[in-house]
Amino acid sequence: MRFLILIDAAAIPAILGGGTPTAAYSHDKNLFQFAHEAIRRGAPVFFTAAQEPAVPRPYYLVTQVYPEWKVEPQIYAYNDIAPDVIASVFPEALNIRREFPHPKIVSIHAAVQFVEAPELFSAQYVYDLITAVRYNIDFIIVQNPRMAELIYSLYSLLAKWWERDRILVAPLGIVPEEQHSLPTRQQARKTMGLKARDIAIVNSGGVW
């Protein structure tokens, strides 16, 4: 099975440059770990920018994600890669059934951004999202059962998505390389400037 990852164009230079995988937002990290697991299981994984407007897109074969990026120097064309699965955290970028008629299309939902901050998203974005969900996306992956129920309720209303069994729950794990890079509790408290008896409550998002 061959995978194609549509990722934020801003992340491509860092991937091609090698080094430790870092992400400005957790959404990219979902794709990093998805790709890492596919490679670990022996599957070829290709990356391209989600924002590329049309064919021809440049495709890059990623052979390692953690602990550092490794990418083949060759730039591939679509006919060279023939993916079986296409995945992205940008559902609005998955209106690609005409461009990619054969692969299964998977949307990884790390959050529902247009619900979190609706003022940042246009009516065109919502239209593209509904079109992708109704006509293009085969499966949706979420991190927990609460998110699955939220997505099902939302998309059955907005996009007439009735197949609850095509929303899959796959908790976001932490690969060992990521876990080792995390600060300790004491280091985090020191960075935040907390005193010994100070209590901190950290919120990392909504129900997701």
Side-chain angles (χ1 to χ4, degrees), residues 120-158:
L120 301 179
F121 297 89
S122 66
Q124 183 64 48
Y125 170 90
V126 177
Y127 173 81
D128 291 341
L129 171 69
I130 292 171
T131 304
V133 171
R134 184 179 294 182
Y135 300 115
N136 293 271
I137 294 171
D138 295 300
F139 294 97
I140 294 173
I141 296 177
V142 299
Q143 297 177 23
N144 56 59
R146 298 187 310 276
M147 186 69 165
E149 293 306 319
L150 173 64
I151 288 293
Y152 178 67
S153 298
L154 185 63
Y155 287 170
S156 61
L157 176 66
L158 290 179

PDB file of all heavy atoms in Angstrom, residues 120-158:
ATOM      1  N   LEU A 120     -12.360  33.417  11.267  1.00  0.00           N
ATOM      2  CA  LEU A 120     -11.174  33.249  10.431  1.00  0.00           C
ATOM      3  C   LEU A 120     -11.461  32.514   9.130  1.00  0.00           C
ATOM      4  O   LEU A 120     -10.568  32.395   8.290  1.00  0.00           O
ATOM      5  CB  LEU A 120     -10.085  32.497  11.209  1.00  0.00           C
ATOM      6  CG  LEU A 120      -9.601  33.143  12.507  1.00  0.00           C
ATOM      7  CD1 LEU A 120      -8.540  32.270  13.165  1.00  0.00           C
ATOM      8  CD2 LEU A 120      -9.053  34.546  12.247  1.00  0.00           C
ATOM      9  N   PHE A 121     -12.686  32.037   8.946  1.00  0.00           N
ATOM     10  CA  PHE A 121     -12.981  31.186   7.802  1.00  0.00           C
ATOM     11  C   PHE A 121     -14.132  31.770   6.988  1.00  0.00           C
ATOM     12  O   PHE A 121     -15.151  32.186   7.528  1.00  0.00           O
ATOM     13  CB  PHE A 121     -13.324  29.766   8.265  1.00  0.00           C
ATOM     14  CG  PHE A 121     -12.173  29.084   8.957  1.00  0.00           C
ATOM     15  CD1 PHE A 121     -11.993  29.220  10.326  1.00  0.00           C
ATOM     16  CD2 PHE A 121     -11.259  28.349   8.238  1.00  0.00           C
ATOM     17  CE1 PHE A 121     -10.920  28.615  10.966  1.00  0.00           C
ATOM     18  CE2 PHE A 121     -10.191  27.736   8.864  1.00  0.00           C
ATOM     19  CZ  PHE A 121     -10.022  27.879  10.228  1.00  0.00           C
ATOM     20  N   SER A 122     -13.935  31.764   5.665  1.00  0.00           N
ATOM     21  CA  SER A 122     -14.903  32.359   4.757  1.00  0.00           C
ATOM     22  C   SER A 122     -16.018  31.380   4.409  1.00  0.00           C
ATOM     23  O   SER A 122     -15.931  30.177   4.667  1.00  0.00           O
ATOM     24  CB  SER A 122     -14.198  32.790   3.464  1.00  0.00           C
ATOM     25  OG  SER A 122     -13.723  31.634   2.761  1.00  0.00           O
ATOM     26  N   ALA A 123     -17.054  31.902   3.780  1.00  0.00           N
ATOM     27  CA  ALA A 123     -18.133  31.048   3.279  1.00  0.00           C
ATOM     28  C   ALA A 123     -17.606  30.079   2.226  1.00  0.00           C
ATOM     29  O   ALA A 123     -18.073  28.940   2.128  1.00  0.00           O
ATOM     30  CB  ALA A 123     -19.256  31.918   2.702  1.00  0.00           C
ATOM     31  N   GLN A 124     -16.615  30.516   1.443  1.00  0.00           N
ATOM     32  CA  GLN A 124     -16.026  29.630   0.433  1.00  0.00           C
ATOM     33  C   GLN A 124     -15.349  28.439   1.096  1.00  0.00           C
ATOM     34  O   GLN A 124     -15.431  27.307   0.600  1.00  0.00           O
ATOM     35  CB  GLN A 124     -15.011  30.401  -0.407  1.00  0.00           C
ATOM     36  CG  GLN A 124     -14.391  29.578  -1.548  1.00  0.00           C
ATOM     37  CD  GLN A 124     -15.415  29.154  -2.582  1.00  0.00           C
ATOM     38  OE1 GLN A 124     -16.207  29.974  -3.048  1.00  0.00           O
ATOM     39  NE2 GLN A 124     -15.428  27.873  -2.945  1.00  0.00           N
ATOM     40  N   TYR A 125     -14.668  28.665   2.222  1.00  0.00           N
ATOM     41  CA  TYR A 125     -14.042  27.562   2.951  1.00  0.00           C
ATOM     42  C   TYR A 125     -15.092  26.533   3.362  1.00  0.00           C
ATOM     43  O   TYR A 125     -14.910  25.331   3.187  1.00  0.00           O
ATOM     44  CB  TYR A 125     -13.306  28.083   4.176  1.00  0.00           C
ATOM     45  CG  TYR A 125     -12.832  26.984   5.096  1.00  0.00           C
ATOM     46  CD1 TYR A 125     -11.577  26.413   4.938  1.00  0.00           C
ATOM     47  CD2 TYR A 125     -13.654  26.477   6.105  1.00  0.00           C
ATOM     48  CE1 TYR A 125     -11.141  25.372   5.749  1.00  0.00           C
ATOM     49  CE2 TYR A 125     -13.242  25.437   6.930  1.00  0.00           C
ATOM     50  CZ  TYR A 125     -11.983  24.895   6.740  1.00  0.00           C
ATOM     51  OH  TYR A 125     -11.578  23.857   7.545  1.00  0.00           O
ATOM     52  N   VAL A 126     -16.202  27.004   3.940  1.00  0.00           N
ATOM     53  CA  VAL A 126     -17.245  26.086   4.393  1.00  0.00           C
ATOM     54  C   VAL A 126     -17.842  25.333   3.209  1.00  0.00           C
ATOM     55  O   VAL A 126     -18.115  24.124   3.293  1.00  0.00           O
ATOM     56  CB  VAL A 126     -18.328  26.844   5.180  1.00  0.00           C
ATOM     57  CG1 VAL A 126     -19.455  25.902   5.590  1.00  0.00           C
ATOM     58  CG2 VAL A 126     -17.718  27.506   6.416  1.00  0.00           C
ATOM     59  N   TYR A 127     -18.033  26.024   2.096  1.00  0.00           N
ATOM     60  CA  TYR A 127     -18.540  25.352   0.887  1.00  0.00           C
ATOM     61  C   TYR A 127     -17.581  24.260   0.426  1.00  0.00           C
ATOM     62  O   TYR A 127     -17.997  23.135   0.113  1.00  0.00           O
ATOM     63  CB  TYR A 127     -18.737  26.377  -0.234  1.00  0.00           C
ATOM     64  CG  TYR A 127     -19.104  25.762  -1.561  1.00  0.00           C
ATOM     65  CD1 TYR A 127     -20.417  25.383  -1.837  1.00  0.00           C
ATOM     66  CD2 TYR A 127     -18.130  25.538  -2.544  1.00  0.00           C
ATOM     67  CE1 TYR A 127     -20.755  24.807  -3.040  1.00  0.00           C
ATOM     68  CE2 TYR A 127     -18.464  24.953  -3.747  1.00  0.00           C
ATOM     69  CZ  TYR A 127     -19.767  24.584  -4.002  1.00  0.00           C
ATOM     70  OH  TYR A 127     -20.090  23.994  -5.188  1.00  0.00           O
ATOM     71  N   ASP A 128     -16.283  24.575   0.378  1.00  0.00           N
ATOM     72  CA  ASP A 128     -15.285  23.583  -0.036  1.00  0.00           C
ATOM     73  C   ASP A 128     -15.245  22.408   0.935  1.00  0.00           C
ATOM     74  O   ASP A 128     -15.093  21.252   0.525  1.00  0.00           O
ATOM     75  CB  ASP A 128     -13.898  24.225  -0.122  1.00  0.00           C
ATOM     76  CG  ASP A 128     -13.786  25.221  -1.265  1.00  0.00           C
ATOM     77  OD1 ASP A 128     -14.615  25.166  -2.188  1.00  0.00           O
ATOM     78  OD2 ASP A 128     -12.868  26.061  -1.219  1.00  0.00           O
ATOM     79  N   LEU A 129     -15.395  22.696   2.227  1.00  0.00           N
ATOM     80  CA  LEU A 129     -15.410  21.641   3.234  1.00  0.00           C
ATOM     81  C   LEU A 129     -16.603  20.721   3.025  1.00  0.00           C
ATOM     82  O   LEU A 129     -16.459  19.484   3.021  1.00  0.00           O
ATOM     83  CB  LEU A 129     -15.465  22.280   4.626  1.00  0.00           C
ATOM     84  CG  LEU A 129     -15.707  21.338   5.798  1.00  0.00           C
ATOM     85  CD1 LEU A 129     -14.499  20.442   6.021  1.00  0.00           C
ATOM     86  CD2 LEU A 129     -16.037  22.114   7.058  1.00  0.00           C
ATOM     87  N   ILE A 130     -17.785  21.277   2.852  1.00  0.00           N
ATOM     88  CA  ILE A 130     -18.988  20.466   2.657  1.00  0.00           C
ATOM     89  C   ILE A 130     -18.869  19.623   1.398  1.00  0.00           C
ATOM     90  O   ILE A 130     -19.210  18.435   1.382  1.00  0.00           O
ATOM     91  CB  ILE A 130     -20.224  21.375   2.596  1.00  0.00           C
ATOM     92  CG1 ILE A 130     -20.478  22.008   3.964  1.00  0.00           C
ATOM     93  CG2 ILE A 130     -21.448  20.601   2.123  1.00  0.00           C
ATOM     94  CD1 ILE A 130     -21.548  23.078   3.970  1.00  0.00           C
ATOM     95  N   THR A 131     -18.346  20.218   0.332  1.00  0.00           N
ATOM     96  CA  THR A 131     -18.171  19.469  -0.924  1.00  0.00           C
ATOM     97  C   THR A 131     -17.212  18.304  -0.741  1.00  0.00           C
ATOM     98  O   THR A 131     -17.457  17.195  -1.234  1.00  0.00           O
ATOM     99  CB  THR A 131     -17.658  20.415  -2.022  1.00  0.00           C
ATOM    100  OG1 THR A 131     -18.556  21.515  -2.170  1.00  0.00           O
ATOM    101  CG2 THR A 131     -17.538  19.683  -3.348  1.00  0.00           C
ATOM    102  N   ALA A 132     -16.123  18.551  -0.022  1.00  0.00           N
ATOM    103  CA  ALA A 132     -15.150  17.476   0.208  1.00  0.00           C
ATOM    104  C   ALA A 132     -15.765  16.335   1.014  1.00  0.00           C
ATOM    105  O   ALA A 132     -15.601  15.163   0.680  1.00  0.00           O
ATOM    106  CB  ALA A 132     -13.921  18.030   0.924  1.00  0.00           C
ATOM    107  N   VAL A 133     -16.481  16.689   2.077  1.00  0.00           N
ATOM    108  CA  VAL A 133     -17.076  15.664   2.936  1.00  0.00           C
ATOM    109  C   VAL A 133     -18.146  14.877   2.185  1.00  0.00           C
ATOM    110  O   VAL A 133     -18.211  13.642   2.270  1.00  0.00           O
ATOM    111  CB  VAL A 133     -17.665  16.319   4.203  1.00  0.00           C
ATOM    112  CG1 VAL A 133     -18.481  15.316   5.007  1.00  0.00           C
ATOM    113  CG2 VAL A 133     -16.546  16.890   5.067  1.00  0.00           C
ATOM    114  N   ARG A 134     -18.956  15.564   1.415  1.00  0.00           N
ATOM    115  CA  ARG A 134     -20.082  14.890   0.761  1.00  0.00           C
ATOM    116  C   ARG A 134     -19.643  14.053  -0.435  1.00  0.00           C
ATOM    117  O   ARG A 134     -20.186  12.963  -0.663  1.00  0.00           O
ATOM    118  CB  ARG A 134     -21.115  15.932   0.311  1.00  0.00           C
ATOM    119  CG  ARG A 134     -22.368  15.306  -0.288  1.00  0.00           C
ATOM    120  CD  ARG A 134     -23.385  16.353  -0.700  1.00  0.00           C
ATOM    121  NE  ARG A 134     -23.915  17.078   0.452  1.00  0.00           N
ATOM    122  CZ  ARG A 134     -24.860  18.023   0.349  1.00  0.00           C
ATOM    123  NH1 ARG A 134     -25.334  18.353  -0.829  1.00  0.00           N
ATOM    124  NH2 ARG A 134     -25.288  18.638   1.431  1.00  0.00           N
ATOM    125  N   TYR A 135     -18.659  14.527  -1.196  1.00  0.00           N
ATOM    126  CA  TYR A 135     -18.375  13.897  -2.476  1.00  0.00           C
ATOM    127  C   TYR A 135     -16.977  13.282  -2.604  1.00  0.00           C
ATOM    128  O   TYR A 135     -16.737  12.543  -3.565  1.00  0.00           O
ATOM    129  CB  TYR A 135     -18.553  14.916  -3.610  1.00  0.00           C
ATOM    130  CG  TYR A 135     -19.936  15.481  -3.692  1.00  0.00           C
ATOM    131  CD1 TYR A 135     -20.176  16.830  -3.444  1.00  0.00           C
ATOM    132  CD2 TYR A 135     -21.026  14.674  -4.005  1.00  0.00           C
ATOM    133  CE1 TYR A 135     -21.448  17.363  -3.514  1.00  0.00           C
ATOM    134  CE2 TYR A 135     -22.311  15.199  -4.084  1.00  0.00           C
ATOM    135  CZ  TYR A 135     -22.516  16.538  -3.832  1.00  0.00           C
ATOM    136  OH  TYR A 135     -23.786  17.064  -3.891  1.00  0.00           O
ATOM    137  N   ASN A 136     -16.069  13.567  -1.695  1.00  0.00           N
ATOM    138  CA  ASN A 136     -14.686  13.155  -1.929  1.00  0.00           C
ATOM    139  C   ASN A 136     -14.090  12.287  -0.824  1.00  0.00           C
ATOM    140  O   ASN A 136     -13.383  11.322  -1.115  1.00  0.00           O
ATOM    141  CB  ASN A 136     -13.803  14.395  -2.107  1.00  0.00           C
ATOM    142  CG  ASN A 136     -14.126  15.166  -3.374  1.00  0.00           C
ATOM    143  OD1 ASN A 136     -13.565  14.904  -4.435  1.00  0.00           O
ATOM    144  ND2 ASN A 136     -15.034  16.126  -3.269  1.00  0.00           N
ATOM    145  N   ILE A 137     -14.328  12.617   0.421  1.00  0.00           N
ATOM    146  CA  ILE A 137     -13.672  11.929   1.526  1.00  0.00           C
ATOM    147  C   ILE A 137     -14.311  10.569   1.783  1.00  0.00           C
ATOM    148  O   ILE A 137     -15.537  10.460   1.901  1.00  0.00           O
ATOM    149  CB  ILE A 137     -13.721  12.801   2.794  1.00  0.00           C
ATOM    150  CG1 ILE A 137     -12.888  14.072   2.588  1.00  0.00           C
ATOM    151  CG2 ILE A 137     -13.233  12.031   4.013  1.00  0.00           C
ATOM    152  CD1 ILE A 137     -13.044  15.098   3.693  1.00  0.00           C
ATOM    153  N   ASP A 138     -13.453   9.535   1.886  1.00  0.00           N
ATOM    154  CA  ASP A 138     -13.938   8.183   2.164  1.00  0.00           C
ATOM    155  C   ASP A 138     -13.978   7.873   3.658  1.00  0.00           C
ATOM    156  O   ASP A 138     -14.901   7.210   4.137  1.00  0.00           O
ATOM    157  CB  ASP A 138     -13.042   7.151   1.465  1.00  0.00           C
ATOM    158  CG  ASP A 138     -13.117   7.254  -0.042  1.00  0.00           C
ATOM    159  OD1 ASP A 138     -14.219   7.079  -0.590  1.00  0.00           O
ATOM    160  OD2 ASP A 138     -12.080   7.522  -0.679  1.00  0.00           O
ATOM    161  N   PHE A 139     -12.954   8.326   4.380  1.00  0.00           N
ATOM    162  CA  PHE A 139     -12.876   8.049   5.809  1.00  0.00           C
ATOM    163  C   PHE A 139     -12.398   9.302   6.543  1.00  0.00           C
ATOM    164  O   PHE A 139     -11.614  10.080   6.011  1.00  0.00           O
ATOM    165  CB  PHE A 139     -11.900   6.898   6.108  1.00  0.00           C
ATOM    166  CG  PHE A 139     -12.351   5.575   5.565  1.00  0.00           C
ATOM    167  CD1 PHE A 139     -11.870   5.115   4.348  1.00  0.00           C
ATOM    168  CD2 PHE A 139     -13.257   4.783   6.265  1.00  0.00           C
ATOM    169  CE1 PHE A 139     -12.283   3.903   3.833  1.00  0.00           C
ATOM    170  CE2 PHE A 139     -13.673   3.561   5.752  1.00  0.00           C
ATOM    171  CZ  PHE A 139     -13.189   3.119   4.542  1.00  0.00           C
ATOM    172  N   ILE A 140     -12.871   9.450   7.782  1.00  0.00           N
ATOM    173  CA  ILE A 140     -12.413  10.511   8.671  1.00  0.00           C
ATOM    174  C   ILE A 140     -11.786   9.857   9.895  1.00  0.00           C
ATOM    175  O   ILE A 140     -12.373   8.934  10.479  1.00  0.00           O
ATOM    176  CB  ILE A 140     -13.571  11.432   9.094  1.00  0.00           C
ATOM    177  CG1 ILE A 140     -14.120  12.194   7.880  1.00  0.00           C
ATOM    178  CG2 ILE A 140     -13.127  12.398  10.179  1.00  0.00           C
ATOM    179  CD1 ILE A 140     -15.367  12.993   8.169  1.00  0.00           C
ATOM    180  N   ILE A 141     -10.593  10.310  10.273  1.00  0.00           N
ATOM    181  CA  ILE A 141      -9.913   9.807  11.468  1.00  0.00           C
ATOM    182  C   ILE A 141      -9.916  10.894  12.531  1.00  0.00           C
ATOM    183  O   ILE A 141      -9.530  12.039  12.261  1.00  0.00           O
ATOM    184  CB  ILE A 141      -8.470   9.375  11.144  1.00  0.00           C
ATOM    185  CG1 ILE A 141      -8.473   8.196  10.163  1.00  0.00           C
ATOM    186  CG2 ILE A 141      -7.724   8.982  12.421  1.00  0.00           C
ATOM    187  CD1 ILE A 141      -7.084   7.761   9.728  1.00  0.00           C
ATOM    188  N   VAL A 142     -10.353  10.534  13.732  1.00  0.00           N
ATOM    189  CA  VAL A 142     -10.361  11.463  14.860  1.00  0.00           C
ATOM    190  C   VAL A 142      -9.620  10.826  16.032  1.00  0.00           C
ATOM    191  O   VAL A 142      -9.267   9.648  15.996  1.00  0.00           O
ATOM    192  CB  VAL A 142     -11.803  11.832  15.277  1.00  0.00           C
ATOM    193  CG1 VAL A 142     -12.527  12.522  14.136  1.00  0.00           C
ATOM    194  CG2 VAL A 142     -12.579  10.589  15.718  1.00  0.00           C
ATOM    195  N   GLN A 143      -9.416  11.616  17.100  1.00  0.00           N
ATOM    196  CA  GLN A 143      -8.550  11.169  18.187  1.00  0.00           C
ATOM    197  C   GLN A 143      -9.289  10.501  19.340  1.00  0.00           C
ATOM    198  O   GLN A 143      -8.673   9.796  20.136  1.00  0.00           O
ATOM    199  CB  GLN A 143      -7.741  12.352  18.728  1.00  0.00           C
ATOM    200  CG  GLN A 143      -6.809  12.956  17.710  1.00  0.00           C
ATOM    201  CD  GLN A 143      -6.074  14.162  18.261  1.00  0.00           C
ATOM    202  OE1 GLN A 143      -5.921  14.314  19.462  1.00  0.00           O
ATOM    203  NE2 GLN A 143      -5.614  15.033  17.378  1.00  0.00           N
ATOM    204  N   ASN A 144     -10.587  10.722  19.463  1.00  0.00           N
ATOM    205  CA  ASN A 144     -11.311  10.154  20.600  1.00  0.00           C
ATOM    206  C   ASN A 144     -12.794  10.038  20.254  1.00  0.00           C
ATOM    207  O   ASN A 144     -13.272  10.648  19.289  1.00  0.00           O
ATOM    208  CB  ASN A 144     -11.095  10.995  21.863  1.00  0.00           C
ATOM    209  CG  ASN A 144     -11.483  12.449  21.664  1.00  0.00           C
ATOM    210  OD1 ASN A 144     -12.629  12.759  21.346  1.00  0.00           O
ATOM    211  ND2 ASN A 144     -10.524  13.357  21.828  1.00  0.00           N
ATOM    212  N   PRO A 145     -13.550   9.245  21.033  1.00  0.00           N
ATOM    213  CA  PRO A 145     -14.984   9.055  20.736  1.00  0.00           C
ATOM    214  C   PRO A 145     -15.797  10.343  20.796  1.00  0.00           C
ATOM    215  O   PRO A 145     -16.775  10.497  20.055  1.00  0.00           O
ATOM    216  CB  PRO A 145     -15.431   8.057  21.820  1.00  0.00           C
ATOM    217  CG  PRO A 145     -14.189   7.315  22.197  1.00  0.00           C
ATOM    218  CD  PRO A 145     -13.081   8.327  22.100  1.00  0.00           C
ATOM    219  N   ARG A 146     -15.430  11.289  21.665  1.00  0.00           N
ATOM    220  CA  ARG A 146     -16.161  12.564  21.730  1.00  0.00           C
ATOM    221  C   ARG A 146     -16.070  13.288  20.399  1.00  0.00           C
ATOM    222  O   ARG A 146     -17.055  13.836  19.902  1.00  0.00           O
ATOM    223  CB  ARG A 146     -15.587  13.450  22.835  1.00  0.00           C
ATOM    224  CG  ARG A 146     -15.680  12.880  24.234  1.00  0.00           C
ATOM    225  CD  ARG A 146     -15.252  13.895  25.281  1.00  0.00           C
ATOM    226  NE  ARG A 146     -13.969  14.512  24.992  1.00  0.00           N
ATOM    227  CZ  ARG A 146     -12.787  13.975  25.300  1.00  0.00           C
ATOM    228  NH1 ARG A 146     -12.742  12.791  25.889  1.00  0.00           N
ATOM    229  NH2 ARG A 146     -11.664  14.598  25.027  1.00  0.00           N
ATOM    230  N   MET A 147     -14.856  13.298  19.841  1.00  0.00           N
ATOM    231  CA  MET A 147     -14.647  13.955  18.550  1.00  0.00           C
ATOM    232  C   MET A 147     -15.439  13.245  17.453  1.00  0.00           C
ATOM    233  O   MET A 147     -15.993  13.878  16.558  1.00  0.00           O
ATOM    234  CB  MET A 147     -13.152  13.957  18.217  1.00  0.00           C
ATOM    235  CG  MET A 147     -12.787  14.730  16.973  1.00  0.00           C
ATOM    236  SD  MET A 147     -13.017  16.500  17.174  1.00  0.00           S
ATOM    237  CE  MET A 147     -12.094  17.100  15.757  1.00  0.00           C
ATOM    238  N   ALA A 148     -15.503  11.921  17.515  1.00  0.00           N
ATOM    239  CA  ALA A 148     -16.255  11.159  16.511  1.00  0.00           C
ATOM    240  C   ALA A 148     -17.728  11.546  16.536  1.00  0.00           C
ATOM    241  O   ALA A 148     -18.353  11.752  15.481  1.00  0.00           O
ATOM    242  CB  ALA A 148     -16.087   9.666  16.762  1.00  0.00           C
ATOM    243  N   GLU A 149     -18.303  11.654  17.725  1.00  0.00           N
ATOM    244  CA  GLU A 149     -19.708  12.027  17.822  1.00  0.00           C
ATOM    245  C   GLU A 149     -19.940  13.460  17.373  1.00  0.00           C
ATOM    246  O   GLU A 149     -20.939  13.772  16.713  1.00  0.00           O
ATOM    247  CB  GLU A 149     -20.193  11.827  19.264  1.00  0.00           C
ATOM    248  CG  GLU A 149     -20.236  10.373  19.710  1.00  0.00           C
ATOM    249  CD  GLU A 149     -21.039   9.491  18.766  1.00  0.00           C
ATOM    250  OE1 GLU A 149     -22.117   9.940  18.303  1.00  0.00           O
ATOM    251  OE2 GLU A 149     -20.583   8.372  18.480  1.00  0.00           O
ATOM    252  N   LEU A 150     -19.015  14.345  17.721  1.00  0.00           N
ATOM    253  CA  LEU A 150     -19.122  15.733  17.294  1.00  0.00           C
ATOM    254  C   LEU A 150     -19.079  15.841  15.772  1.00  0.00           C
ATOM    255  O   LEU A 150     -19.918  16.519  15.160  1.00  0.00           O
ATOM    256  CB  LEU A 150     -17.991  16.557  17.918  1.00  0.00           C
ATOM    257  CG  LEU A 150     -17.868  18.016  17.441  1.00  0.00           C
ATOM    258  CD1 LEU A 150     -19.100  18.810  17.837  1.00  0.00           C
ATOM    259  CD2 LEU A 150     -16.614  18.664  17.993  1.00  0.00           C
ATOM    260  N   ILE A 151     -18.106  15.174  15.166  1.00  0.00           N
ATOM    261  CA  ILE A 151     -17.962  15.228  13.709  1.00  0.00           C
ATOM    262  C   ILE A 151     -19.183  14.626  13.023  1.00  0.00           C
ATOM    263  O   ILE A 151     -19.691  15.162  12.027  1.00  0.00           O
ATOM    264  CB  ILE A 151     -16.676  14.497  13.275  1.00  0.00           C
ATOM    265  CG1 ILE A 151     -15.440  15.310  13.665  1.00  0.00           C
ATOM    266  CG2 ILE A 151     -16.664  14.211  11.775  1.00  0.00           C
ATOM    267  CD1 ILE A 151     -15.307  16.616  12.916  1.00  0.00           C
ATOM    268  N   TYR A 152     -19.671  13.507  13.538  1.00  0.00           N
ATOM    269  CA  TYR A 152     -20.842  12.875  12.927  1.00  0.00           C
ATOM    270  C   TYR A 152     -22.055  13.808  12.999  1.00  0.00           C
ATOM    271  O   TYR A 152     -22.770  13.987  11.997  1.00  0.00           O
ATOM    272  CB  TYR A 152     -21.153  11.550  13.617  1.00  0.00           C
ATOM    273  CG  TYR A 152     -22.383  10.880  13.052  1.00  0.00           C
ATOM    274  CD1 TYR A 152     -22.381  10.381  11.751  1.00  0.00           C
ATOM    275  CD2 TYR A 152     -23.553  10.771  13.804  1.00  0.00           C
ATOM    276  CE1 TYR A 152     -23.504   9.784  11.209  1.00  0.00           C
ATOM    277  CE2 TYR A 152     -24.680  10.182  13.274  1.00  0.00           C
ATOM    278  CZ  TYR A 152     -24.655   9.687  11.984  1.00  0.00           C
ATOM    279  OH  TYR A 152     -25.774   9.109  11.450  1.00  0.00           O
ATOM    280  N   SER A 153     -22.286  14.412  14.152  1.00  0.00           N
ATOM    281  CA  SER A 153     -23.424  15.327  14.289  1.00  0.00           C
ATOM    282  C   SER A 153     -23.280  16.528  13.368  1.00  0.00           C
ATOM    283  O   SER A 153     -24.241  16.951  12.705  1.00  0.00           O
ATOM    284  CB  SER A 153     -23.541  15.796  15.739  1.00  0.00           C
ATOM    285  OG  SER A 153     -23.772  14.705  16.610  1.00  0.00           O
ATOM    286  N   LEU A 154     -22.077  17.068  13.306  1.00  0.00           N
ATOM    287  CA  LEU A 154     -21.836  18.263  12.501  1.00  0.00           C
ATOM    288  C   LEU A 154     -21.976  17.969  11.009  1.00  0.00           C
ATOM    289  O   LEU A 154     -22.664  18.695  10.277  1.00  0.00           O
ATOM    290  CB  LEU A 154     -20.434  18.799  12.810  1.00  0.00           C
ATOM    291  CG  LEU A 154     -20.027  20.114  12.153  1.00  0.00           C
ATOM    292  CD1 LEU A 154     -20.915  21.257  12.623  1.00  0.00           C
ATOM    293  CD2 LEU A 154     -18.555  20.416  12.446  1.00  0.00           C
ATOM    294  N   TYR A 155     -21.341  16.894  10.557  1.00  0.00           N
ATOM    295  CA  TYR A 155     -21.325  16.623   9.120  1.00  0.00           C
ATOM    296  C   TYR A 155     -22.609  15.986   8.614  1.00  0.00           C
ATOM    297  O   TYR A 155     -22.938  16.122   7.437  1.00  0.00           O
ATOM    298  CB  TYR A 155     -20.117  15.751   8.764  1.00  0.00           C
ATOM    299  CG  TYR A 155     -18.799  16.516   8.820  1.00  0.00           C
ATOM    300  CD1 TYR A 155     -17.587  15.856   8.735  1.00  0.00           C
ATOM    301  CD2 TYR A 155     -18.777  17.885   8.951  1.00  0.00           C
ATOM    302  CE1 TYR A 155     -16.383  16.543   8.788  1.00  0.00           C
ATOM    303  CE2 TYR A 155     -17.587  18.583   9.009  1.00  0.00           C
ATOM    304  CZ  TYR A 155     -16.394  17.911   8.930  1.00  0.00           C
ATOM    305  OH  TYR A 155     -15.216  18.601   8.983  1.00  0.00           O
ATOM    306  N   SER A 156     -23.334  15.295   9.472  1.00  0.00           N
ATOM    307  CA  SER A 156     -24.647  14.810   9.034  1.00  0.00           C
ATOM    308  C   SER A 156     -25.590  15.982   8.811  1.00  0.00           C
ATOM    309  O   SER A 156     -26.461  15.940   7.924  1.00  0.00           O
ATOM    310  CB  SER A 156     -25.233  13.825  10.053  1.00  0.00           C
ATOM    311  OG  SER A 156     -25.413  14.451  11.312  1.00  0.00           O
ATOM    312  N   LEU A 157     -25.394  17.042   9.582  1.00  0.00           N
ATOM    313  CA  LEU A 157     -26.206  18.249   9.405  1.00  0.00           C
ATOM    314  C   LEU A 157     -25.751  19.057   8.202  1.00  0.00           C
ATOM    315  O   LEU A 157     -26.567  19.455   7.354  1.00  0.00           O
ATOM    316  CB  LEU A 157     -26.124  19.104  10.675  1.00  0.00           C
ATOM    317  CG  LEU A 157     -26.840  20.462  10.632  1.00  0.00           C
ATOM    318  CD1 LEU A 157     -28.346  20.264  10.513  1.00  0.00           C
ATOM    319  CD2 LEU A 157     -26.503  21.274  11.873  1.00  0.00           C
ATOM    320  N   LEU A 158     -24.442  19.307   8.101  1.00  0.00           N
ATOM    321  CA  LEU A 158     -23.926  20.186   7.047  1.00  0.00           C
ATOM    322  C   LEU A 158     -23.805  19.503   5.697  1.00  0.00           C
ATOM    323  O   LEU A 158     -24.054  20.124   4.658  1.00  0.00           O
ATOM    324  CB  LEU A 158     -22.546  20.728   7.457  1.00  0.00           C
ATOM    325  CG  LEU A 158     -22.479  21.744   8.592  1.00  0.00           C
ATOM    326  CD1 LEU A 158     -21.035  22.126   8.850  1.00  0.00           C
ATOM    327  CD2 LEU A 158     -23.312  22.970   8.269  1.00  0.00           C
TER     328      LEU A 158
END
